[in-house]
Amino acid sequence: MTARLLTVALLATLTVACGDDSPTSPTDTTTTTSSGTTVTYTGTLDVGGSRFYSFTNAAAGSVTAFLASVTATTDNRVPLAVPLQLGVGIPAGTDCATTTTQMVGPGLVSQLSVSLAAGVFCLRVADAGQLKAPVSFAVRFTHP
Amino acid sequence: MRARVYRRIGLTAVLLGAALATGCDDAATTTSPTATSPVTELFSAQFIPGGSASRSFVAASAGTVSLTLSQLGPPTGLVVGFGIGIPQSNGSGCYLTQSVNTGAASSPQITAQVDAGSYCVRLYDLGTMTSATGFTVTIVRP
């Protein structure tokens, strides 16, 4: 009898262990896989402006990013070829103190790759003098 | 008597653990038919004047994506916006990376290098459509 009870308890425990492999519900803009967390960071950028997004590296590893889209805020149907500055750094007050930056135009392959420790970092998108009017942007980046 | 019960418990636990561990591993390593790269998909639908249509697809690895607007209309000679980008999080379309204004053609109007991940194709009216029209896009992806 005792053996039967313990068998049932063991079965329940091991079944839960298998269930832990189920994916968790991602947010609308974040996808987490075994190779890291992928975020689509979107926003608008004024002429001469900058925006940043803070994220936490769960472990040391590479952060990769590409500027996927730039469109006019008044018409998001037509992509613009305007370059923006992408950077990675450390949150500093109301800004992101970048340690690595790169001027990039829209593309669909990694344009910025940085090896970082575990901890809190930020991804910064900025106009470096190329914008004539506000734009909407989308950046896809992956971090550990 | 008690020693016999504990031996049975131990043996049952070992056998059950082994069986379930095998089950877990099977779930993690389930094999599926390996798709030959590149993969070709067709996207056929209709869109209305002033509207757009988009579809997401996944590049299983880094490589080249080519998109061909292979059929459009009637009417013949129609030109629409045709682009590639990444899917919007709410599923309502694409953040476009590049686009062209084009009619139907037999060779790719858009070719792009991509990382592994999800992407999308989008068609949109340039303000010239007067009625709903059908189209077919051929997507070739890694």
Side-chain angles (χ1 to χ4, degrees), chain A residues 18 28 68-69 77 108 110 140, chain B residues 12 24 89 96-97 115 118 125:
Chain A
C18 284
D28 278 348
S69 181
R77 295 183 312 164
L108 295 172
S110 294
R140 177 180 284 177
Chain B
T12 304
C24 287
S89 54
L96 285 179
T97 305
D115 285 344
S118 59
D125 177 24

Side-chain angles (χ1 to χ4, degrees), chain A residues 40-66:
Chain A
T40 301
Y41 172 41
T42 63
T44 58
L45 196 60
D46 291 328
V47 174
S50 67
R51 300 287 296 270
F52 72 95
Y53 181 96
S54 295
F55 60 94
T56 301
N57 271 0
S62 291
V63 174
T64 61
F66 62 80

Side-chain angles (χ1 to χ4, degrees), chain A residues 2-4 6-8 10-11 14-15 17-18 21 28-29 40 42 64 66-71 76-80 106-111 137-140, chain B residues 5 8-9 12-14 16-17 20 23-24 28 50-51 84-89 94-99 112-119 122 124-127:
Chain A
T2 309
R4 198 168 294 158
L6 283 173
T7 300
V8 169
L10 184 62
L11 176 63
L14 289 173
T15 301
C18 284
D21 288 339
D28 278 348
T29 57
T40 301
T42 63
T64 61
F66 62 80
L67 177 64
S69 181
V70 180
T71 60
N76 67 0
R77 295 183 312 164
V78 182
L80 305 173
L108 295 172
V109 293
S110 294
Q111 299 165 324
F137 67 85
V139 174
R140 177 180 284 177
Chain B
V5 168
R8 280 183 60 191
I9 292 170
T12 304
V14 167
L16 192 57
L20 288 170
C24 287
I84 187 173
I86 63 172
Q88 291 186 13
S89 54
C94 286
Y95 297 114
L96 285 179
T97 305
Q98 65 178 93
S99 71
Q113 296 298 310
V114 302
D115 285 344
S118 59
Y119 299 91
R122 187 182 194 195
Y124 52 93
D125 177 24
L126 295 170

Side-chain angles (χ1 to χ4, degrees), chain B residues 26-37:
Chain B
D26 280 349
T29 60
T30 298
T31 56
S32 54
T34 303
T36 305
S37 182

Side-chain angles (χ1 to χ4, degrees), chain B residues 67-90:
Chain B
L67 303 176
T68 306
L69 178 56
S70 48
Q71 186 271 320
L72 178 68
T76 57
L78 184 63
V79 172
V80 298
F82 181 49
I84 187 173
I86 63 172
Q88 291 186 13
S89 54
N90 60 10

